[in-house]
Amino acid sequence: MAAEAVLDIRNLVVEFPTRRGVLTAIRGIDLTIGRGEILGVVGESGAGKSLTGAAVIGLLESGGRIAEGEIHVCGRRIDQLPLREMQKLRGRTIGAIFQDPLTSLNPLLTVGDQLIETMRVHMPLSRAGAMARAVRLLQEVGIPSPELRIAQYPHQFSGGMRQRVVIALALCAEPELVIADEPTTALDVSIQAQITALLKRVCRDRGTAMMLITHDMGVIAETADRVAVMYAGRIVEIGPVASIIRAPRHPYTKGLIGSIPSLTQRSERLVQIDGSMPRLNAMPEGCAFHPRCRFAMAQCRRERPPLMPAGTSEAACWHLNGEVSHVA
Amino acid sequence: MISMVLRRIGNAVAVMVAVAFVAFMIFQFLGDPVQLMLNEQASQAERDALRIRLGLDQNFVMQFMLFITRALHGDFGISYRNQQDVMSLIAERFPATLELVLVSTIIALSIGIPLGVYAAIRKGSPIARLLTMFSMIGVSIPSFVIGILLILIFAVQLNWLPAFGRGDVVHFGSWTTGLLTPSGRSALVMPALSLALFQISFIMRLVTAEMLEVLRTDYVKFARARGLPNRLVHFRHALRNCLMPVVTMTGMMIGDLIAFALVTETVFQWPGMGQLFVQAVMFIDMPVMAAYLMIVSAMFVTINTIVDLIYLWVDPRLRQAGAARGYHAH
């Protein structure tokens, strides 16, 4: 698996040096994504999901740095590349989609200019050749009459259409891997379904690997093949979507899934996880989740659980042997 | 698009009519020009003749109409001070001022914008800090101090450049330029620099502040994530989005400089409009003041209209009919 993985992250640690000491935001994560596979990364705000994506593409903000670990893309180690080399990979090998389509596009350049510019940076194309490709690409992401739309400016597109343009921009140099950071969060629910369907289709058609970062379990359930649940800078559970949704092992994952309202079953009330995630400078001993966990026991407060196999997935919890699986 | 252009031009005309009214009112309130112009011994017949010649025998509305009609023909009457045609007085002086202002603005833009970009993208580096410090000094020192310092160093001590005047000029019809003669060019250096120093600092600070803001936006982040090289990210994506405020401020600055270059013109004995205006004020020379007011306003209005049109050209969002939004819609 690891040999042909498009993305292979090994023991990644990301730190932010601040005036009051170094904050560790990502505390050692391992994950791989294969060709055409969609890995959902889910968790609360601040769990480190977006940072993981930013670390892969080399755009950590304000002094953030990769302190340990390795990132390999298509078999090549990329976490130590100089800026020039990294710029060649961005767009070409790793595409990115950001949350807000309304602000992701430059308001002063036409959609076509932005597409053509990106393609010509990465590929030996004439302007006319890039133009033709851009029209086909807009068609592919579902923009009607692309030959007219290509000469228009971002403000002439609706939110959903703009996110399609953003997706076209992320795909235009045919990357092997796409990091999609909350691609549907800023959209209407009806548009969300269209965009997730589109993402799924392009990954299947092009064999593109995708890291789909979101806090929305529903999007993950619809789109992803596997899911990694993050909590306080670590992966607490990872495995195939179907088995994790049906039988979550980690109490945190159970909480996340229990908090999704269901249309078919009428439950008394939604499950709520009390409390909030620990601050980066106040990580508890042992399992980071234990202060909020209803099942915490002495061992949880002392020792941090590693990821352990549990059925078809892996989870980091001392309760894996079935004692708590019937609760919550 | 065309209707917006026409609307802007309509606004400009309305402003000019209002200014003309104010300029005209100067005549109504600042005493009787006939008494100022003629000496004590002038006869009543002479006074009446001058009164008719100046159009002062007509009623208020007629006088205003006459004033506007004449102004449109470039006729602002005759100077009370030396009885010369006001328009030709101003026409003599105007090229000198415009040349000074344009040269210093070009210097300011071509130095200020690159320095501003540099200070933003190398934020925190020693050179960027030094630039920021110098720009602080640049906006703080009044231009006449710079002018006097420049004269002291380059004219008095080193004797490299002339301390005053405009040097030799070349005539093109009624226009004069000093740019084509060596003495004209060397005479222009110090006044232009002393005017430009403030502008350089000001534009640099403006560009730096705007760039830092734009560099944080999502579309710049997305441009980086697409692997665009820094050159494209900084200049095509970021700088372009900073240009609106720069265009605005440059437009206002050119207007300001034309109106208030008089300090620099006084320091360097530059034969421009500023000097003419100072003399007119000291002599209560109403036609010259009124004409000066009209011409400076016309410059302001023209520049502002051009600035508005540049907005439409730079920002596609403003081209939509009826959009009268501010330029800061990030």
Side-chain angles (χ1 to χ4, degrees), chain B residues 1 3-4 7-8 317-325:
Chain B
M1 177 85 185
S3 75
M4 292 187 80
R7 202 179 323 147
R8 299 283 148 104
R317 287 168 298 188
L318 301 179
R319 276 177 229 156
Q320 278 177 329
R325 279 177 295 168

Side-chain angles (χ1 to χ4, degrees), chain A residues 32-43:
Chain A
T32 60
I33 309 181
R35 258 183 77 75
E37 185 184 38
I38 300 181
L39 173 77
V41 179
V42 71

Side-chain angles (χ1 to χ4, degrees), chain A residues 96 103-104 106 117-118 122 155, chain B residues 218-219 222 226 236-237 241:
Chain A
T103 56
S104 286
N106 188 329
E117 155 192 84
T118 310
H122 294 296
H155 73 269
Chain B
D218 284 351
Y219 55 83
F222 189 42
R226 297 202 303 273
R236 194 169 144 99
H237 287 264
N241 277 283

